[in-house]
Amino acid sequence: MLFFSLSTWVLALILFAITLLATGLGLVAGRKVRHRSDDLREPFGVMQAALLGFMGLILAFGLSLAVGRYEDRRAAVVAESNAIGTTYLRAQTLAEPVRTQSLALLKSFTDTSIRLTQTVPGSSEANRVLADSTQIETQLWGLAGQALNAAPTDTAPRLYVDSLNQTFDAQSTRAYGLGNRVPDEVLLLEVAGAALALGLLALHLATMGQGVFTVVLAAVLVTLILLVTFDLDRPTRGFIQVPAEPLINLRISMDAPPAASAPSGG
């Protein structure tokens, strides 16, 4: 929660400040020891190469973790949308009055899923959305039990109960996935490693009396990579957000008349 609690602009300013500060310190230190550049060039060059390799490895590792979690969250939205859609279709085959009541509750359940995509994980608003969802789940499950009791041998209620259970599981999986973020320790290691490597790069180039523009450009590019990594790990707060279009499109389709009529005996 250390980085997740910050706004995107504040986070960007902090990252730029850290990397530019490390670069500036390296440039200042390099200019002070420039008169010993012949003696320091080789050891500084070795350390610079080692730290740049380390920085590249850490940045790639953190970015891969963030991208993997982002893709999992996108897939979870699609999976939940498909599960709700299947449940909604099967609910149309139930007998009345369970059919109408279940269809209305499934619309409300979809609304809570859409609201969940617009809240910050772990916030009081997110907890309220999950509590509302739990209440709707309880009502839906109670109606499903009534449908089974009324027709214990019919296929439609059994199929509906199975898809309803998958729908509940799909939302739980997505809710937990929103809070599954890259550990703060990994992100801190990325920032510290990048700052150290950039500082040493600036130090090495400054002792040679060149490369100021190059090292500043490198600092900006590294900061952007860090910002993208952090942003991917902030599903509802960053610039790169998990789209909710599958759920929104599903909810729009629910406003149309049901495709299947109630069973003739309902």
Side-chain angles (χ1 to χ4, degrees):
M1 296 296 293
L2 174 62
F3 298 103
F4 190 80
S5 60
L6 300 174
S7 70
T8 301
W9 291 110
V10 171
L11 179 62
L13 288 175
I14 290 175
L15 292 177
F16 272 111
I18 291 174
T19 54
L20 291 179
L21 177 61
T23 302
L25 291 175
L27 290 173
V28 171
R31 289 175 179 175
K32 288 185 177 181
V33 297
R34 186 182 300 175
H35 61 282
R36 298 180 55 194
S37 60
D38 293 337
D39 298 330
L40 298 176
R41 180 177 302 176
E42 184 175 350
F44 279 176
V46 173
M47 287 191 295
Q48 169 203 333
L51 277 177
L52 286 177
F54 173 76
M55 179 186 69
L57 179 64
I58 294 299
L59 289 177
F61 177 67
L63 186 60
S64 66
L65 288 178
V67 170
R69 283 163 170 75
Y70 177 78
E71 292 299 330
D72 288 343
R73 295 181 188 116
R74 287 177 61 98
V77 172
V78 176
E80 184 183 3
S81 176
N82 290 337
I84 297 175
T86 299
T87 304
Y88 188 78
L89 291 176
R90 290 181 177 178
Q92 298 174 22
T93 64
L94 299 176
E96 295 291 1
V98 173
R99 174 181 182 273
T100 299
Q101 295 172 352
S102 298
L103 291 177
L105 285 172
L106 284 170
K107 292 179 182 179
S108 299
F109 183 84
T110 307
D111 289 335
T112 63
S113 293
I114 295 173
R115 287 168 54 199
L116 188 62
T117 64
Q118 301 167 348
T119 60
V120 177
S123 66
S124 57
E125 176 63 23
N127 292 333
R128 284 195 295 269
V129 172
L130 292 175
D132 293 342
S133 179
T134 299
Q135 292 180 355
I136 297 174
E137 288 180 8
T138 301
Q139 297 177 58
L140 282 169
W141 197 249
L143 289 172
Q146 294 179 28
L148 278 177
N149 291 334
T153 60
D154 288 358
T155 302
R158 294 180 178 275
L159 290 175
Y160 171 73
V161 168
D162 179 66
S163 61
L164 186 63
N165 184 64
Q166 293 180 16
T167 296
F168 296 162
D169 291 344
Q171 189 184 80
S172 297
T173 299
R174 186 166 70 88
Y176 285 116
L178 291 173
N180 180 23
R181 295 184 293 274
V182 178
D184 283 341
E185 293 78 6
V186 174
L187 298 177
L188 284 171
L189 181 61
E190 283 196 21
V191 175
L196 184 59
L198 287 170
L200 191 57
L201 174 62
L203 174 63
H204 176 66
L205 293 177
T207 57
M208 300 172 61
Q210 59 184 2
V212 174
F213 175 77
T214 301
V215 73
V216 172
L217 180 61
V220 172
L221 291 177
V222 169
T223 303
L224 291 176
I225 293 175
L226 287 172
L227 186 59
V228 169
T229 300
F230 283 53
D231 207 48
L232 285 170
D233 205 38
R234 297 151 58 86
T236 60
R237 301 201 62 179
F239 295 117
I240 307 173
Q241 299 187 4
V242 177
E245 276 74 12
L247 289 169
I248 294 174
N249 293 335
L250 172 64
R251 182 61 183 85
I252 293 174
S253 70
M254 288 178 172
D255 290 332
S261 303
S264 57

